[in-house]
Amino acid sequence: MDSSLARRADPFALVAGVLSLLVAVCGVLGIAPWEVVDLRWVLAGTAVVAGIAFLMASVRNSRATSDD
């Protein structure tokens, strides 16, 4: 099998799956999600993850070879 055809994990599907599992656990336990998680921490965590993703994207693009 060709190694260039190897599958890569889809990060958006992974996050959606984890979030759906958390909602399901909250439903089984009878706990409202807003009682467990403070929205301010969710927003702060999202900002940190987005910042790291932007930094990684800028480093990855700077290593690309040019056709000059």
Side-chain angles (χ1 to χ4, degrees):
M1 186 167 160
D2 190 11
S3 63
S4 65
L5 298 176
R7 291 184 180 216
R8 297 179 70 189
D10 183 10
F12 297 112
L14 181 63
V15 169
V18 169
L19 287 176
S20 64
L21 285 174
L22 290 174
V23 169
V25 168
C26 288
V28 167
L29 297 177
I31 301 171
W34 54 86
E35 293 175 358
V36 177
V37 178
D38 188 7
L39 184 60
R40 293 174 291 185
W41 284 108
V42 173
L43 292 174
T46 303
V48 168
V49 170
I52 291 171
F54 291 147
L55 285 173
M56 289 177 64
S58 68
V59 169
R60 185 175 297 165
N61 287 339
S62 67
R63 293 182 186 172
T65 59
S66 63
D67 292 336
D68 288 346

